[in-house]
Each structure stands twice: as C-alpha cells, then as structure tokens.
C-alpha cells in the first residue's frame, strides 16, 4: 500500500531499510585500523547508527541549504558550543564568560530555538549542556539501530601504490598504502519515529518529507573511493493509526524476510529475494514502500 500516511508527524512510524555495498567499506572501525566493522562471533557486517545519521545530516544540509529550520547542529568544523551561542545571541541573552547558575526559563527558550533552527536537533535530539551557554537536552523522535548484514562478510585489505613521494627528501619512487573493503554485503537497519516526542520538538510534515528524501539520497552524494558502490535498495515504513502504536515494532519487522537465493556467496542484490507478508499487517497499521 502506498499513500502519504508516512508523512504524518502525529502518528507512530517504524521503518526498515536495506542497502548494499560492493567492493567497498561501508563503515570503517578506527579501533581496527579502518577495517569494515563486523560482529566477531557471526562475521556479519555492521554499520553504526551514527554513520547513517551522518549521511542523513549531510544530505539535509544539501537539500535544505538556505531554508530556515534546516541548519545542522552536528556539523564538521563547527564547535557545538558556538551553536549554543547562536541561540543566546538570537534571543538577546547576554554572553557570560563563566557558567551561570541554571535558569530554567532561559534554558527552555534556548532549547526551543535550537529545535526550531536545527533539523537534527528536533529530529535526532541532542545533549546541549556544554560550554557556558547551554540549551538543555532534547530527546529526539527518530532513532536508528545498527545495520547488520544479512550474511557474513569477508573484510579484505588491498595493497595499493602511489607514484608520488610524500616528502622531497624521500628516495623511494613509490609509496605503499592499503584499502579495506568487503566484496559484497546487503545490510538491514531499523528505525523508529515517536509522535509524542515529535510534538515536543516541533517536527512537521515537511520535516518527515525531508527525512525520507534524505534517506533515499544519502548514498548518492556520499561517494568515496571505498564507498563508490553503495545504494539504498529498499525503504519500508509501517505507519500506525495513532501516536502510540497499534502493534509492537518487532512484529512488523518480522513481516519482512530477506533470503539469499544462491548456493555460494552473494555478489549482487539480485542474489536475494525479499518477501513481505502484507496479509499479516495488524489492524491499524499501513505499509508505505518508499523505495522498492
């Protein structure tokens, strides 16, 4: 079923997304030298919620450039404290060098301004209690899980050479390096949208439209040498008839099964089949196939 209920911020939404990577590194682990993240017990690939949120933030920054309310709070090269200062400056609250005694009214004003100004604050939430001018805490209505590959992946390191030297005094003609990748992986992630929390942060229908659009495009403008072939393959949104939900999210997620159809290792999205038990949808829940 396809309709616009997934754009309604007064309803609860639970969603499933599938994406894949070919000959790339979807999310390197700095504690493992940049190798693709894996579950050491099952060798399934992992992509953190933080990595997905970063891609969504970057996409919203492009889509919403110049539009009021679509600034990004967690932005590369910009300190969080300076973002808090923007709120105080806009509200005409004098700047102090030392952390002032907590003023609930002032903090509430600053928090509301941050929610109104920054898309990721009102969507994902934020802890804005650093610096001398803080804006409290916001519990975001959108939460994502780690994404996990359907099958085990095989992390590989490929040696590469560069023909230019780093330093003039270096005598070697070439320098060695390496790239980490998995040959192929299909990953599944889950997300949740809380309507009661959205009402507190001010999420609108336009915000939800922006969020789904950013998810659809988040890999298209995040290309890199080890992320050249990443694609969002499916995005399914379960929408409830009210703000609190008509069924537990896990029962909805269980309606979608992903099965590998080849005997050997999968090397493309076509090696999998996806089945949705739409007849099993509980009363009060609709399914929107945003992608797929």
């Amino acid at each position: 079923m396809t309709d616009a209920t997934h754009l309604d911020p007064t309803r609860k939404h639970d969603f499933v997304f599938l994406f894949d990577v070919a000959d790339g590194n979807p999310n390197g682990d700095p504690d493992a030298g940049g190798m693709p993240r894996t579950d050491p017990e099952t060798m399934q690939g992992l992509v953190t919620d933080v990595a997905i949120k970063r891609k969504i933030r970057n996409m919203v920054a492009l889509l919403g450039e110049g539009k009021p309310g679509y600034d990004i709070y967690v932005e590369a090269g910009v300190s969080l404290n300076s973002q808090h200062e923007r709120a105080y400056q806009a509200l005409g609250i004098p700047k102090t060098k030392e952390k002032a005694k907590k003023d609930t009214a002032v903090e509430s004003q600053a928090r509301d301004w941050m929610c109104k100004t920054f898309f990721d604050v009102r969507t994902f939430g934020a802890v804005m209690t650093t610096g001398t001018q803080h804006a409290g805490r916001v519990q975001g209505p959108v939460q994502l899980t780690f994404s996990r590959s359907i099958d085990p992946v095989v992390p590989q390191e490929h040696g590469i050479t560069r023909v230019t030297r780093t330093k003039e005094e270096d005598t070697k003609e070439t320098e060695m390096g390496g790239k980490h990748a998995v040959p192929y992986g299909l990953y599944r992630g889950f997300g949740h949208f809380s309507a009661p929390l959205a009402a507190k942060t001010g999420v609108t229908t336009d915000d939800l439209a922006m969020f789904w659009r950013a998810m659809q495009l988040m890999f298209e403008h995040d290309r890199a040498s080890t992320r050249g072939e990443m694609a969002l393959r499916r995005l399914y949104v379960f929408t409830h008839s009210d703000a609190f939900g008509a069924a537990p999210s896990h029962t909805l997620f269980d309606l979608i099964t992903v099965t590998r159809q080849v005997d050997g290792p999968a090397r493309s999205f076509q090696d999998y089949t996806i089945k949705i038990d739409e007849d099993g949808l509980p009363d009060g829940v609709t399914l929107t196939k945003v992608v797929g």
Side-chain angles (χ1 to χ4, degrees), residues 87-88 91-93 103-116 134-135:
Y88 279 70
L91 295 169
I93 302 171
D103 186 325
T104 303
V106 169
E107 183 179 287
S108 179
Q109 291 180 58
R111 183 173 57 248
D112 291 345
W113 188 91
M114 296 293 287
C115 285
K116 183 178 180 180
H134 58 77

Side-chain angles (χ1 to χ4, degrees), residues 84-95:
H84 307 162
E85 291 174 4
R86 285 181 57 186
Y88 279 70
Q89 184 177 6
L91 295 169
I93 302 171
K95 184 177 181 179

Side-chain angles (χ1 to χ4, degrees), residues 57-291:
R57 284 184 170 103
N58 290 345
M59 199 63 238
V60 170
L62 293 176
L63 292 170
E65 186 174 7
K67 294 179 61 177
Y70 290 93
D71 289 6
I72 297 299
Y73 172 64
V74 182
E75 185 178 5
V78 181
S79 71
L80 299 181
N81 289 349
S82 66
Q83 304 283 45
H84 307 162
E85 291 174 4
R86 285 181 57 186
Y88 279 70
Q89 184 177 6
L91 295 169
I93 302 171
K95 184 177 181 179
T96 59
K97 292 183 179 180
E98 296 182 359
K99 193 170 183 177
K101 186 178 180 180
K102 183 175 180 179
D103 186 325
T104 303
V106 169
E107 183 179 287
S108 179
Q109 291 180 58
R111 183 173 57 248
D112 291 345
W113 188 91
M114 296 293 287
C115 285
K116 183 178 180 180
T117 303
F118 295 101
F119 175 86
D120 53 340
V121 171
R122 65 178 177 272
T123 304
F124 299 135
V127 178
M128 302 174 289
T129 56
T130 58
T132 60
Q133 297 169 300
H134 58 77
R137 300 167 184 259
V138 173
Q139 185 177 0
V142 176
Q143 298 301 328
L144 303 175
T145 68
F146 274 34
S147 299
R148 179 179 288 267
S149 67
I150 304 300
D151 292 313
V153 297
V154 182
Q156 300 175 346
E157 182 173 8
H158 303 281
I160 59 174
T161 58
R162 188 178 66 189
V163 297
T164 54
R165 302 188 298 266
T166 301
K167 302 177 183 178
E168 184 64 32
E169 58 269 24
D170 289 342
T171 58
K172 293 182 179 180
E173 292 295 327
T174 62
E175 290 192 358
M176 296 294 296
K179 286 187 176 183
H180 304 294
V182 296
Y184 182 79
L186 177 62
Y187 292 73
R188 173 171 47 196
F190 305 106
H192 309 275
F193 177 86
S194 168
L197 293 178
K200 293 181 179 181
T201 64
V203 172
T204 66
T205 297
D206 288 343
D207 289 335
L208 270 177
M210 174 68 81
F211 179 73
W212 302 129
R213 181 63 173 159
M215 284 204 72
Q216 292 176 70
L217 295 173
M218 63 182 175
F219 298 121
E220 299 301 320
H221 298 271
D222 187 56
R223 305 295 184 190
S225 61
T226 55
R227 296 194 304 278
E229 292 298 326
M230 290 188 69
L232 182 73
R233 295 295 186 169
R234 296 290 186 268
L235 175 56
Y236 302 126
V237 183
F238 295 97
T239 299
H240 300 254
S241 57
D242 60 29
F244 296 97
S249 60
H250 68 273
T251 63
L252 303 177
F253 297 153
D254 287 345
L255 298 176
I256 300 175
T257 57
V258 183
T259 308
R260 178 164 50 90
Q261 293 300 304
V262 294
D263 293 332
R267 285 295 181 267
S268 74
F269 183 65
Q270 286 68 38
D271 291 339
Y272 290 90
T273 59
I274 301 170
K275 294 183 179 179
I276 307 173
D277 180 13
E278 296 192 50
D279 292 335
L281 278 174
D283 292 338
V285 177
T286 58
L287 172 63
T288 302
K289 299 174 183 178
V290 180
V291 175

